[in-house]
Amino acid sequence: IPKSRLQEISDMLAKVNITVDVLDTEAVVLWRKLIRLNAIACTTSASDRTIGFIKSDKWWRKKLEGCVIEGINVSNVEGVEMNSETVMEQIDHLPDGLTTSMQRDINNAGNPSEIDAIAGAVIRAGKRHGISCPTIEELMNIIQDRIETISNTL
């Protein structure tokens, strides 16, 4: 669909108070979602707490911000410019009781985890460009330990 047509649809939706962002490329759409999802999924899954706890706890918020910054560093070299303050503002507006599907899947030990598809994707993209993601890797290790511990209790 041409961007002009997408803008027409967006304008029609705006008339009924539905906000839509028309972005330039598929890469922009994917990275914008992946940056937020990675940060939220990694922190909630590693801690097994809600996003409200993550946002309010000093140590976990630092991990959340680290995931956002590391993801943005990777997205920037992939050609998608983002701003950590904007992403954190979006996350700060999420409902405090929010959990993630990755977190729920880990807690339901029989379900496969999305860790490789989410955190693994950011780490692999970073490695292609020589960018390290130590916070994401740390949380990924914590998550993998949780998965192993939960699996061993069954």
Side-chain angles (χ1 to χ4, degrees):
I1 298 176
K3 188 172 181 177
S4 60
R5 180 68 179 133
L6 291 174
Q7 192 59 55
E8 287 177 35
I9 295 168
S10 173
D11 293 344
M12 286 187 330
L13 291 170
K15 290 178 183 175
V16 293
N17 296 321
I18 299 174
T19 304
V20 176
D21 291 330
V22 178
L23 304 175
D24 292 330
T25 67
E26 291 170 353
V28 171
V29 173
L30 292 173
W31 275 106
R32 281 181 65 173
K33 180 172 182 172
L34 183 57
I35 299 297
R36 285 189 310 271
L37 179 59
N38 176 66
I40 296 163
C42 282
T43 53
T44 60
S45 296
S47 67
D48 196 23
R49 304 295 289 266
T50 66
I51 194 62
F53 174 83
I54 302 299
K55 294 185 297 186
S56 65
D57 181 85
K58 186 177 178 180
W59 191 86
W60 281 105
R61 184 173 183 90
K62 186 172 176 69
K63 297 300 178 188
L64 179 71
E65 291 170 349
C67 286
V68 168
I69 291 166
E70 291 169 13
I72 287 174
N73 289 342
V74 176
S75 76
N76 286 343
V77 297
E78 288 277 315
V80 178
E81 296 287 324
M82 295 185 57
N83 175 296
S84 64
E85 291 82 19
T86 301
V87 175
M88 286 304 301
E89 183 178 311
Q90 293 166 346
I91 292 171
D92 283 336
H93 284 92
L94 294 172
D96 286 344
L98 181 123
T99 59
T100 60
S101 61
M102 186 162 81
Q103 177 185 11
R104 290 186 298 274
D105 286 342
I106 291 166
N107 288 335
N108 298 319
N111 294 343
S113 165
E114 304 161 309
I115 184 128
D116 186 60
I118 298 172
V122 177
I123 291 168
R124 285 189 299 278
K127 285 182 179 177
R128 283 196 306 271
H129 298 286
I131 296 172
S132 66
C133 300
T135 306
I136 298 169
E137 288 179 0
E138 175 189 8
L139 294 178
M140 193 170 181
N141 288 332
I142 293 169
I143 294 164
Q144 289 170 330
D145 287 346
R146 281 195 69 233
I147 291 170
E148 186 175 316
T149 299
I150 291 170
S151 294
N152 288 336
T153 61
L154 293 178

